[in-house]
Every structure is written in structure tokens, then in C-alpha cells.
Amino acid sequence: MTTSSAPGKIILFGEHAVVYGHPALAVPVTQVQATATVRASTGPGTWVEAPDIGLRSELSVLPAHHPLVTALNGVFTTLGISSHSPFTINISSTIPVASGLGSGAAVSVAMIRALSAFLGQSLSDEEVSALAYDVEKLHHGTPSGIDNTVIAYSQPVFFIKGQPIATFHVGAPFTLVIGDTGVSAPTKESVGDVRKLWEAEKTRTEKIFREIGKIAIQARERIVNGEWDKLGALMDANHALLQALTVSSADLDRLVDAARRSGALGAKMSGGGRGGNMIALVEKENAPAVAEALKSAGAKRTIVTQVG
Ligand code: PMV
């Protein structure tokens, strides 16, 4: 039997602009996890079980473009395996879906690692990330690759699409409160709408992307130097630019305002937007008060996480 777990992730800065080649920062969130376990089957056939989504099916009858099948087939292809003894893979996750916490990429990474270990040939982080990226394409259409990268490497990542992975050092740890609107919003839709905006108003939209990219670069410098208390203003500025891209929502804005009013140093939506999660930078001792304020403003759940 082999088991593998992968963390969730949160984008600190740079979402959406990252799809157009600008930098973004993301960190793993270990409080939530996807887990995959592979066991040799006792009976005939290879089975895929994901009780969270009510799935129990023989692998051979699932469609080839199913995300879970794509993840498994990617492992077989990469390892050059055309036949294997029957197994059952069980998948579970505590990461809320379609909420900007990287649930799809985490499930892929956990499955890919558990299966390759079961087959006796572990894959490198780079290979795992590349295979999870193929699955991300089914979820997102044109993903930047940031989710699979930060989750496969499980380290803070300064990500530029198409460039080699760059991790970064967190000079001094800082605390975030993550607030979930409870609204599940497919990233594919918000990414598609930003594309329409970009097609209709290229000059204005590209200026916004550039400003977001500059914020991500400044933020990395602050984080590396341990000046995390200066990140709040950058978060606020990034949120305003995401509003201009039309990817925030009334729910997200309400949570962002509530966080700021309860003493957060800054706040922004995170991920695809229109729903999902927002993040607030807080002094550690103020985290419970901000989490409480988010709940009062309608957050369905909050997670307090330490970065670094
Ligand atoms: O919704 P999430 O957390 O999976 O993040 C999507 C991030 C985008 O920049 C909007 C899209 C992408 O592929 O990078």
C-alpha cells in the first residue's frame, strides 16, 4: 500500500496577470490536504474510489478525459507502463473545491505520487508538476501552471509562466487569515471573462496586468527581507486591480472590508475570484478577531495559516 498527501495552496499576489506572463507568488497551505492511497486489489479490475464525490468505478469504464483518469494515465505513460497488476486508488480531500485553494491540483499531485510509488518508480517534483499541469488544463482551459507548481514543490513559489521554478525564502514568518465566501466559482469562467476584457480593451487591461506584476515583485522583496508588515498595502492595491479586472464579487469585497475594519494590515481576494477565498494579513495575536469578523460578515469558514 502507498499513500501520498498534498497540501492546498493560496495565491498571495498576481493571479490572473500570471496567465499573461506576469509574476505571481503562491504558498502551500498545509492545514488542508488531499490524500491518495493505492492498494493491490483483492478482486479483479483496477478501481477508482473518491467517496467525497460519490465515485466508485472501474478505471476502464471512466472516460479517458476524466481528470482522475488523465492523472493516472499520465503516470503510466511517463513510466512506460503498459500493463500492471490490479489496484484500487482511494482519493479524499479536505480542500474545498472551486474556491481557490488548489483542490484539483492537490488531488492530482497526491494521486500521481501514490501511484508512481506503488509502481515502484517515484517521480521527481518536476515530473509530478508537469503531469498535474496536464490535468489542470482540463479544469481551467488555459492555466498558468502556478497551482500544480506550488503544490508539487510544496514551497513558496515566485512563478512566471514557462520559466523554471523559483522558490523564495520567507525572511520572517507572517500570519494570514483565509476567509471562504462559500461561493464555488469555476476559475475557467473568470479566466475566460478576463480574456474577453483583454480582447476588448487590450491597452487598459495590459496596464493592469503590468501593475499587478510589479506588486508581485515588490511583495517578494518585502517577504524575503522579513518586512511582512509592509505587505498589507500591496494586498490592498492588488485587490483594487483585481476589482478593475471584474473578478472580485460583492461577497469577496464584503469580507475584504470586514478584515480591514477588524484590524488586518491588508486584504485581497485570492485565486480565480467571483467567489472562493480571500486572504487577510494580520498580526498573529489579532488572527482570532479577524477570523471572527469574517464569520460575522458571512464567511463560511476561516483558516489561520502561518507563512514561513
Ligand atoms: O482559482 P485558483 O486558485 O485555482 O487560481 C487561479 C489563478 C489564475 O491566475 C486566475 C489562473 C491561473 O491559471 O493562474
Side-chain angles (χ1 to χ4, degrees), residues 101-135:
L101 286 174
S103 71
V107 164
S108 299
V109 166
M111 288 177 72
I112 291 162
R113 287 225 172 93
L115 178 59
S116 56
F118 178 79
L119 296 168
Q121 300 183 58
S122 291
L123 297 167
S124 67
D125 290 344
E126 193 180 350
E127 288 169 316
V128 171
S129 181
L131 289 175
Y133 182 65
D134 289 339
V135 186

Side-chain angles (χ1 to χ4, degrees), residues 15-16 190 193-198 201 204-209 211-212 236-249 253 269 274:
E15 52 273 270
H16 285 289
S190 62
D193 288 350
V194 170
R195 185 157 298 269
K196 281 184 207 140
L197 191 70
W198 173 69
E201 300 178 55
R204 185 175 80 88
T205 314
E206 282 178 1
K207 185 162 178 279
I208 297 174
F209 292 155
E211 284 174 29
I212 292 176
D236 291 345
N238 196 161
H239 185 70
L241 292 164
L242 289 162
Q243 286 175 316
L245 290 179
T246 77
V247 292
S248 192
S249 68
D253 290 346
M269 55 156 272
R274 300 266 168 83

Side-chain angles (χ1 to χ4, degrees), residues 9-10 95-103 178-187 270-273 275-278 301:
K9 72 97 211 349
I10 201 90
I95 309 174
V97 294
S99 66
L101 286 174
S103 71
I178 303 172
D180 190 348
T181 59
V183 177
S184 66
T187 299
S270 177
N277 282 280
M278 49 70 67
R301 71 189 238 160

Side-chain angles (χ1 to χ4, degrees), residues 153-170:
Y153 287 83
S154 205
Q155 285 185 55
V157 164
F158 177 81
F159 182 85
I160 301 177
K161 191 176 174 179
Q163 291 200 8
I165 159 110
T167 57
F168 61 93
H169 175 69
V170 178

